[in-house]
Amino acid sequence: MNPVYPTFSAALLVAAAALASSCAVGPNFHKPQAPANAGYAAEALPQASSSTDIHGGEVQHYIAGRDIPFQWWELFQCPALNSLIEKAFKANPSVAAAQAALAQAQELVYAQQGFYFPSVGATYQAERHKIAGNLTNDQAPGVQGNGDNLLPPLQTPGVPPYTAPLYYNFQTAELTVGFVPDVFGGNRRQVESLAAQTEVQRFALEATYITLASNVAAAAIQEASLRAQIRATQQIIAADEKALQILRDQFRLGQAMRIDVAAQETALAQAKATLPPLQLQFEQGRDLLRALVGNLPNQDVPETFELDALQLPPELPVSLPSKIIEQRPDVRAAAAQLHAANAQVGVAVAAMLPQFPITGSYGGNADQFSWMFRSGGPFWNLVGDMTQPLFQGGTLLHRKRAANEALKQAAAQYQSAVITAYQNVADTLHASLSDADALAANVDAENAAKVTYDLTLRQMQVGYVNTLILLAAETAYDQALLNRVQAQAARYGDTVALFQALGGGWWHRNGNASLVIAPHEGGSANSLQARAASE
């Protein structure tokens, strides 16, 4: 039996044992824990909002610890909104881009895992040679694997050429195996870093779904608000035109002054001037909705939105503060980025340590293909190396230091993401409560302004007050009406923002079973940063 087989197998077994017994250098990653005693406000927040007697002014109860559905937009009970968001999920290119980025990151993990295994290559080479007659005694291949001696016979002694030229074929087939045992875990750390980058892309995909749904809902609410504002402005313009016609009739009869007519004309012109900006915002909002569902500006969507078609959810979930870092995709992505940076420290450390590559080859040479692996043709070699970087101009040292600084940066960015997450939730809760109070106040202001305007109009018609007083009452009512519409829409927008701030329920998305929320292990980002710096 040829001794290459047991020798080569033994070498692979030794390498496998070295790989199994090796340890990964660098700091081990521990997932950060939620901040201790975290909360959304310095003082306890109310458990329900205020309410007012108008559509969109219903009371909302805040339920602590309630889970969030992924299809939270269905709570608005608006089929048009549901339809548009589903279209956006299917056609918006940002989803396809995020899915491709995730697939790419996963393929890079698979590619890096390939270094755990030996590399195998096969080579076949066929040659045709002519050696000059004057050189054949020195360079002829001699006896081949099939027993032939290719050295040509000598010519007449002492008369050049001493030998004839030599023509011969030469064939080589070789199988090469190379393997670098991951003794110090450099490759494992690289795989770990790439797997963490995959998690970054995974949560980026979830954030894409949440952001897209929130943007569609916000655009729909804005459209409904602008429709109401345009309608209210048109009513104001119609009322101003009617009042102007009355003043012009009175002026012809001598019952009104020219300055009163001019003042009313000014009020009408000002009211008309507010309409084009609203119409511009409305058309731009429609353009945004078309773009969100992947359409061009000339490809309209049939869905339209009115405030009366949107129902305000009566109950809102408020996640426990300890759950926020698990529910927010941006925080989870920042934690994964921290994990990747932590693993890169190990990669940099391993690059400074010895490497133990093992290479072996088995093949055959002959002038005939069939004789390459028969007696006399085969050859083999087995080489074990040890390489240790001694001096590279400080490159490896500075790369390690750079990896440590990158870890500190990732830890700080994680802390920033956590603080921002809690701030977002706190801001949306405060806005939800405040805007409920604001809507109630605006409804009261609108009702009072309407009464004042109606009474002032009657008094002017019978001559008790002049036109300037009526204009002041009219202006106050117009502004109160628009403020009420805007405050009405703000409550819907606050609800959308709260669902987004709490994480959007991505863990309930279909096909997302691999992303089950699990508690973090180990210390905080601060402790991780300190430990990495010390190691």
Side-chain angles (χ1 to χ4, degrees), residues 19 115 117-118 178-183 355-358:
L19 177 61
F115 290 107
F117 304 96
F179 183 59
V180 181
D182 195 22
V183 176
Q355 300 292 316
F356 304 92
I358 302 171

Side-chain angles (χ1 to χ4, degrees), residues 153-171:
L154 292 174
Q155 301 294 326
T156 305
V159 179
Y162 299 108
T163 62
L166 173 64
Y167 298 88
Y168 72 96
N169 298 326
F170 194 71
Q171 303 185 59

Side-chain angles (χ1 to χ4, degrees), residues 476-490:
Y477 171 61
D478 294 347
Q479 190 61 52
L481 176 59
L482 292 177
N483 289 344
R484 188 265 300 167
V485 173
Q486 293 170 356
Q488 201 174 0

Side-chain angles (χ1 to χ4, degrees), residues 211-507:
T211 302
L212 184 57
S214 300
N215 287 343
V216 172
I221 293 169
Q222 179 70 0
E223 177 184 319
S225 173
L226 288 169
R227 284 185 185 276
Q229 292 181 59
I230 289 172
R231 190 179 300 112
T233 302
Q234 290 172 340
Q235 293 174 356
I236 291 169
I237 291 173
D240 285 344
E241 289 175 340
K242 182 178 180 181
L244 178 60
Q245 184 61 45
I246 293 174
L247 279 173
R248 284 174 175 171
D249 292 342
Q250 291 177 343
F251 175 71
R252 284 195 299 270
L253 298 174
Q255 298 175 356
M257 301 178 63
R258 183 66 184 88
I259 191 172
D260 296 334
V261 176
Q264 185 62 41
E265 289 173 343
T266 301
L268 176 59
Q270 290 174 342
K272 288 182 176 180
T274 62
L275 187 58
L278 293 174
Q279 292 172 331
L280 172 61
Q281 293 181 52
F282 176 82
E283 292 301 333
Q284 290 176 337
R286 292 296 296 178
D287 291 339
L288 175 60
L289 284 176
R290 297 181 189 110
L292 289 173
V293 298
N295 288 359
L296 295 174
N298 62 329
Q299 298 172 328
D300 203 1
V301 292
E303 293 84 358
T304 58
F305 300 95
E306 300 277 357
L307 286 178
D308 290 345
L310 295 167
Q311 302 299 319
L312 200 65
E315 295 182 345
L316 294 178
V318 179
S319 302
L320 298 177
S322 60
K323 292 291 186 181
I324 290 299
I325 67 169
E326 300 292 341
Q327 295 180 180
R328 291 270 300 211
D330 56 338
V331 176
R332 294 291 292 271
Q337 191 66 56
L338 180 61
H339 190 176
N342 184 81
Q344 282 299 318
V345 175
V347 173
V349 172
M352 304 174 70
L353 299 175
Q355 300 292 316
F356 304 92
I358 302 171
T359 57
S361 63
Y362 176 75
N365 297 122
D367 64 329
Q368 299 179 29
F369 184 86
S370 61
W371 280 92
M372 282 191 295
F373 295 99
R374 298 170 68 173
S375 177
F379 66 87
W380 63 267
N381 63 69
L382 180 63
V383 180
D385 291 336
M386 192 282 286
T387 61
Q388 168 64 58
L390 297 178
F391 178 74
Q392 295 191 8
T395 299
L396 299 180
L397 174 62
H398 290 295
R399 284 178 178 172
K400 178 181 177 296
R401 291 177 179 176
N404 279 326
E405 295 304 318
L407 176 58
K408 295 177 183 179
Q409 179 189 23
Q413 290 172 339
Y414 174 79
Q415 290 175 322
S416 177
V418 171
I419 293 172
T420 300
Y422 283 100
Q423 179 190 358
N424 290 161
V425 177
D427 287 349
T428 54
L429 286 173
H430 287 115
S432 179
L433 292 166
S434 177
D435 286 342
D437 295 338
L439 178 58
N442 276 286
V443 169
D444 292 341
E446 179 192 6
N447 292 336
K450 182 65 167 62
V451 171
T452 301
Y453 172 70
D454 290 342
L455 293 175
T456 305
L457 178 61
R458 294 174 187 174
Q459 289 178 337
M460 190 206 71
Q461 290 174 343
V462 296
Y464 286 159
V465 297
N466 59 31
T467 305
L468 296 178
I469 296 177
L470 175 64
L471 288 177
E474 181 184 9
T475 301
Y477 171 61
D478 294 347
Q479 190 61 52
L481 176 59
L482 292 177
N483 289 344
R484 188 265 300 167
V485 173
Q486 293 170 356
Q488 201 174 0
R491 292 208 65 191
Y492 293 99
D494 293 337
T495 301
V496 172
L498 180 59
F499 280 113
Q500 184 177 16
L502 293 174
W506 56 266
W507 50 96

Side-chain angles (χ1 to χ4, degrees), residues 123-138:
T123 304
Y124 172 72
Q125 184 174 352
E127 305 173 24
R128 175 70 173 169
H129 292 272
K130 173 186 177 182
I131 299 178
N134 292 335
L135 301 176
T136 53
N137 288 327
D138 297 325

